[in-house]
């Protein structure tokens, strides 16, 4: 259960209205957007329900990660771990060339480890870093991105169940996560029961200086009672839509929750861009604090940058 709780927080992945930003990164897609006041769409009536429907039914965001297998590219991965005073006590940097021409090959262009990253047995000190290594360094040839459909994980044991829950949180926000005490239905922010706790809004702007976009924001209502706030885990969800085709180009999520079993404060952002017409991931950033009984408190952040995508014709 402890591993599952930590993996869920990592992936958000991976969500009190006045939650404090952790002073390391500010991984919010808004930083890449210039907002304006013009909102216009001809193909469909623009309203909150349209945006919610697009989020719930979208498969392209996940497909973009799967499509990376068709490309060679360079990834720069930076990981930092922190002590209880938020001072860096460990770091890991990797610059990796992912070669998908023919049989997949991974070449380390740079590899630097500092501080308190590994245990004596060679495993990572923090489960957060272990999950980072699994998802963003080995995932390009792993079963994490092999199948676009989620299952209950019953055929693959606990690890498969963890992976399926990670997929749901990252790629299908708003859906319930089954089998997690005190959390499962708190992720279902578009349900009739949960909507009473949120404000929904959208604005227009420009992404990466050239792409016309809508920015759809779901945020906890500022005047909720303490009792109501305890029912809410996802504090903010931001989704960036390409105006021209409603492709999802960015997703930011802010989570905070505390009870007798655990407490966490996590923010994660994923950004994408076009490469010769294909939508592919370009930036993933995460920061989070986790505290689970009988486990070492986990404080970590990471930044992943993808560049130099090259389509391999044989794929």
């Amino acid at each position: 259960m402890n591993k599952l709780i930590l993996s869920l927080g990592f992936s958000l992945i991976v969500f009190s209205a006045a939650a404090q930003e952790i002073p390391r990164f500010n991984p919010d897609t808004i930083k890449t957007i210039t907002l304006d006041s013009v909102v216009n769409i001809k193909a469909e009536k623009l309203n909150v329900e349209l945006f919610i429907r697009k989020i719930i039914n979208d498969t392209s965001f996940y497909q973009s990660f799967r499509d990376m297998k068709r490309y060679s590219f360079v990834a720069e991965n930076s990981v930092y771990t922190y002590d209880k005073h938020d001072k860096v006590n460990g770091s890991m940097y990797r610059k990796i060339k992912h070669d998908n021409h023919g049989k997949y090959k991974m070449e380390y262009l740079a590899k630097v480890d500092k501080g308190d990253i590994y245990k004596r047995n060679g495993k990572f000190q923090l489960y957060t870093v272990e999950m980072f290594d699994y998802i963003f360094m080995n995932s390009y040839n792993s079963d994490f991105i092999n199948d676009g459909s989620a299952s209950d994980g019953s055929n693959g044991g606990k690890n498969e169940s963890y992976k399926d829950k990670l997929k749901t949180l990252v790629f299908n926000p708003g859906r319930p996560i089954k089998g997690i005490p005190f959390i499962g239905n708190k992720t279902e922010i578009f349900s009739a029961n949960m909507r009473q706790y949120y404000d929904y809004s959208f604005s227009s702007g420009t992404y990466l200086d050239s792409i016309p976009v809508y920015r759809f924001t779901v945020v906890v209502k500022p005047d909720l009672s303490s009792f109501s706030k305890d029912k809410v885990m996802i504090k903010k969800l931001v989704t960036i839509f390409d105006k021209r085709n409603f492709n999802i180009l960015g997703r930011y999520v802010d989570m905070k929750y505390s009870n007798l079993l655990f407490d966490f404060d996590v923010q994660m952002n994923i950004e994408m861009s076009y490469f010769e017409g294909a939508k592919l991931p370009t930036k993933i950033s995460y920061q989070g604090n986790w505290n689970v009984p009988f486990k070492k408190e986990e404080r970590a952040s990471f930044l992943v940058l993808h560049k130099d995508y090259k389509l391999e014709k044989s794929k």
Side-chain angles (χ1 to χ4, degrees):
M1 176 60 69
N2 286 340
K3 277 191 174 183
L4 177 54
I5 292 170
L6 287 171
S7 65
L8 289 175
F10 166 83
S11 65
L12 286 164
I13 80 24
V14 86
F15 296 157
S16 95
Q20 296 298 309
E21 291 178 352
I22 304 167
R24 303 167 195 152
F25 295 119
N26 181 22
D28 190 341
T29 308
I30 191 174
K31 296 296 183 181
T32 319
I33 290 182
T34 303
L35 296 178
D36 58 51
S37 58
V38 179
V39 176
N40 181 33
I41 186 169
K42 297 179 180 179
E44 300 184 62
K45 184 179 179 181
L46 196 65
N47 55 38
V48 168
E49 295 303 324
L50 171 62
F51 288 108
I52 291 174
R53 186 168 69 249
K54 294 292 185 180
I55 290 173
I56 293 175
N57 295 328
D58 177 75
T59 59
S60 67
F61 202 71
Y62 180 64
Q63 184 62 42
S64 296
F65 279 85
R66 300 183 69 202
D67 286 345
M68 287 193 300
K69 286 190 173 184
R70 300 170 52 222
Y71 292 79
S72 295
F73 62 96
V74 174
E76 287 193 71
N77 305 332
S78 301
V79 180
Y80 297 91
T81 62
Y82 305 85
D83 63 20
K84 62 182 180 180
H85 302 294
D86 270 336
K87 301 295 184 182
V88 174
N89 60 11
S91 65
M92 183 172 69
Y93 173 76
R94 302 286 187 270
K95 187 173 183 179
I96 304 170
K97 182 178 181 180
H98 297 275
D99 186 348
N100 274 299
H101 180 69
K103 186 177 181 180
Y104 171 77
K105 299 184 292 294
M106 184 173 71
E107 177 186 357
Y108 285 97
L109 305 178
K111 186 177 181 180
V112 180
D113 297 322
K114 296 180 180 179
D116 193 17
I117 292 290
Y118 299 97
K119 299 177 182 178
R120 290 184 178 179
N121 61 7
K123 294 184 178 181
F124 290 113
Q125 288 275 4
L126 303 185
Y127 189 67
T128 303
V129 179
E130 180 183 333
M131 291 302 296
F132 165 87
D133 181 69
Y134 163 67
I135 294 176
F136 294 113
M137 289 178 61
N138 299 315
S139 67
Y140 311 108
N141 253 12
S142 78
D143 57 356
F144 186 81
I145 58 171
N146 277 351
D147 180 15
S149 60
S151 67
D152 61 6
S154 58
N155 294 327
K158 289 184 177 180
N159 286 340
E160 292 303 313
S161 178
Y162 297 164
K163 295 172 190 175
D164 283 319
K165 291 175 173 61
L166 293 177
K167 288 181 184 179
T168 300
L169 284 168
V170 175
F171 301 112
N172 301 109
R175 295 187 180 183
I177 308 298
K178 298 179 180 179
I180 311 298
F182 309 109
I183 286 183
N185 62 353
K186 296 183 186 301
T187 61
E188 200 174 7
I189 60 176
F190 300 126
S191 68
N193 180 55
M194 293 297 291
R195 286 196 189 195
Q196 62 184 307
Y197 305 121
Y198 291 95
D199 287 328
Y200 302 85
S201 63
F202 54 87
S203 55
S204 179
T206 303
Y207 177 67
L208 296 176
D209 298 326
S210 62
I211 302 173
V213 295
Y214 297 115
R215 182 177 189 264
F216 180 64
T217 302
V218 183
V219 63
V220 172
K221 290 182 176 180
D223 56 350
L224 289 184
S225 66
S226 298
F227 177 77
S228 295
K229 287 180 180 178
D230 290 341
K231 298 178 180 291
V232 175
M233 183 182 78
I234 300 177
K235 307 305 178 184
K236 187 176 184 180
L237 175 67
V238 178
T239 308
I240 306 303
F241 294 89
D242 187 330
K243 281 186 181 182
R244 301 165 298 184
N245 51 26
F246 259 98
N247 278 339
I248 294 178
L249 295 176
R251 174 165 289 150
Y252 166 76
V253 64
D254 183 353
M255 294 195 314
K256 189 175 183 180
Y257 194 69
S258 179
N259 61 22
L260 293 177
L261 293 178
F262 55 87
D263 64 80
F264 57 84
D265 186 351
V266 171
Q267 293 88 44
M268 185 173 182
N269 182 63
I270 299 175
E271 295 184 25
M272 299 190 178
S273 190
Y274 294 110
F275 296 86
E276 297 183 350
K279 186 181 71 171
L280 296 167
T282 55
K283 177 183 177 182
I284 303 104
S285 54
Y286 163 96
Q287 60 177 356
N289 293 351
W290 279 86
N291 195 355
V292 178
F294 311 113
K295 293 286 184 177
K296 181 180 179 180
E297 182 182 10
E298 302 214 355
R299 297 174 176 236
S301 61
F302 66 74
L303 176 65
V304 178
L305 300 174
H306 289 175
K307 61 183 179 180
D308 299 337
Y309 278 106
K310 178 184 176 182
L311 178 63
E312 301 298 351
K313 303 299 183 181
S314 60
K315 292 294 180 178

